[in-house]
Amino acid sequence: MSTTTEPAAEAAPVKTGPGAHPPPGGRNRGKRETVAVQHTAGWLFSTPFLVLFAVFMALPIVATLVMSFTDFGLRNVTDPFSAEFIGFENYTKLLDDEKFLKSLFNTAYFVVVGVPLTVGLGLFVAVLLNNGIDRARTFFRVGFYAPVVTSIVAIAVVWRFVLDPADGLIAGLASEVGLTSPDFLGSEALAMPSLIVMAVWRNLGTVMVLFIAGLQAIPPDVREAARLDGASTWQEFRRITVPLLRPTMLYTTVITTIGYLNVFEEPFVMTQGGPSDSTLTVSLSMYREGFNFFHMGYASAMAYVLFVVIMAITVLQLRLLKDNTK
């Protein structure tokens, strides 16, 4: 019996040459290879940052969190894993620590008084330099911003001279009119206000620059329309300038508040937390516990309490000052 078989389908000829189109499978494979090369290049460019972030940011943050649940001290430096796990003991101890509670109160005092002053004066100076002052505008801008780029040590020298009760600038002016200058940095009542004034003067330039940028972004047509409708200067500021500056105001308030909650340099170089801990802040207290007494576990607990406070206040500010004009 004879059998017949169907001829096998011949494969379609592949067109080659300069005008040939690649097969669909080859086109997809080439696209995937191109994307893979781009991803590899992206990861290679990102690797230095990721390594630095992991070593200098992520690892210390996690290590500090773990350390806050231990009694890590000087004896554990050579063998960190010998530190004893004590749970929330450091955190409960903070609630009974009068020095920490006082530093928390001083920090809150510094923020509650200092932030509104800095933001308010920064807005006032920005409005003046943007509209009210025509001559020497650059000179004033540089003058207000100069303290921002000046070393805190140089600023401390200047302010010590200004506040010195014996030979300072204020003492000299007071003696001219027959008055006696108080000891600003030696008085428990005046030491913190003196540091707040110094901090406001030092940070005013940053806030001013941000507000000037925000003012220059306001369309002039809006102002002209308000003036044509008979709006006064105050009404224009209240109804036009302030609402349109809301995003800038939110940013400056959040940034200034975070910086003031972490205040360390001013009390460290001017008063060392004195007199009688009247200028002791949370950051300065944390520094002392960590590097003077080497209670690293206790200092780490302080750091995370401050972190939670900063997060809570920042979220509250973002909710209260968010832009509702859109």
Side-chain angles (χ1 to χ4, degrees):
M1 184 174 68
S2 64
T3 59
T4 59
T5 57
E6 294 293 331
E10 296 181 358
V14 178
K15 188 177 179 181
T16 59
H21 297 288
R27 189 184 301 122
N28 293 335
R29 186 167 53 251
K31 188 176 181 180
R32 286 197 297 270
E33 290 176 353
T34 303
V35 172
V37 170
Q38 291 176 348
H39 287 178
T40 304
W43 280 108
L44 286 176
F45 278 113
S46 304
T47 299
F49 165 75
L50 293 175
V51 171
L52 292 175
F53 179 80
V55 173
F56 294 104
M57 290 293 294
L59 183 61
I61 289 173
V62 175
T64 305
L65 178 61
V66 174
M67 204 181 295
S68 69
F69 296 105
T70 69
D71 64 345
F72 194 98
L74 186 60
R75 64 185 181 283
N76 306 114
V77 172
T78 55
D79 186 12
F81 294 102
S82 64
E84 183 181 353
F85 180 77
I86 57 175
F88 289 92
E89 185 177 326
N90 284 329
Y91 291 94
T92 56
K93 189 177 173 184
L94 285 175
L95 299 176
D96 298 326
D97 188 344
E98 292 184 0
K99 186 163 286 191
F100 173 74
L101 295 178
K102 187 164 188 176
S103 69
L104 204 59
F105 172 79
N106 291 337
T107 304
Y109 177 21
F110 192 87
V111 171
V112 169
V113 178
V115 171
L117 278 176
T118 305
V119 175
L121 286 176
L123 177 60
F124 178 72
V125 173
V127 171
L128 284 182
L129 293 180
N130 191 58
N131 299 320
I133 297 177
D134 295 328
R135 294 183 179 179
R137 182 178 296 176
T138 303
F139 171 77
F140 284 109
R141 288 181 180 179
V142 173
F144 281 113
Y145 195 74
V148 179
V149 294
T150 305
S151 167
I152 184 64
V153 177
I155 290 176
V157 171
V158 172
W159 277 85
R160 279 187 175 278
F161 165 72
V162 172
L163 300 175
D164 190 293
D167 303 319
L169 178 64
I170 296 178
L173 294 175
S175 65
E176 292 293 329
V177 294
L179 299 176
T180 302
S181 172
D183 187 359
F184 291 98
L185 299 179
S187 166
E188 292 186 27
L190 297 177
M192 183 57 83
S194 301
L195 295 187
I196 291 173
V197 172
M198 174 181 158
V200 170
W201 173 78
R202 188 184 175 208
N203 294 284
L204 185 64
T206 302
V207 178
M208 176 201 71
V209 168
L210 293 172
F211 275 129
I212 286 178
L215 288 168
Q216 292 180 349
I218 297 176
D221 299 344
V222 180
R223 296 182 182 279
E224 291 177 7
R227 293 186 193 120
L228 289 175
D229 288 340
S232 64
T233 304
W234 170 247
Q235 288 173 329
E236 179 187 331
F237 175 77
R238 185 183 173 192
R239 301 292 184 184
I240 303 295
T241 304
V242 172
L244 293 180
L245 272 182
R246 203 178 182 93
T248 308
M249 208 170 291
L250 171 63
Y251 177 76
T252 53
T253 303
V254 170
I255 293 299
T256 306
T257 303
I258 293 175
Y260 279 19
L261 282 169
N262 285 302
V263 58
F264 171 78
E265 294 174 332
E266 285 83 358
F268 182 73
V269 299
M270 294 291 288
T271 61
Q272 286 289 318
S276 303
D277 294 334
S278 61
T279 58
L280 182 66
T281 61
V282 175
S283 296
L284 183 57
S285 180
M286 188 194 320
Y287 171 83
R288 285 181 177 177
E289 290 291 339
F291 297 99
N292 290 353
F293 309 121
F294 223 85
H295 299 156
M296 297 302 292
Y298 194 57
S300 299
M302 284 185 179
Y304 270 88
V305 170
L306 182 61
F307 172 75
V308 171
V309 171
I310 291 174
M311 284 296 295
I313 293 177
T314 302
V315 170
L316 182 64
Q317 288 177 329
L318 290 175
R319 283 187 172 275
L320 293 178
L321 297 176
K322 67 179 179 181
D323 186 10
N324 294 320
T325 59
K326 295 180 181 178

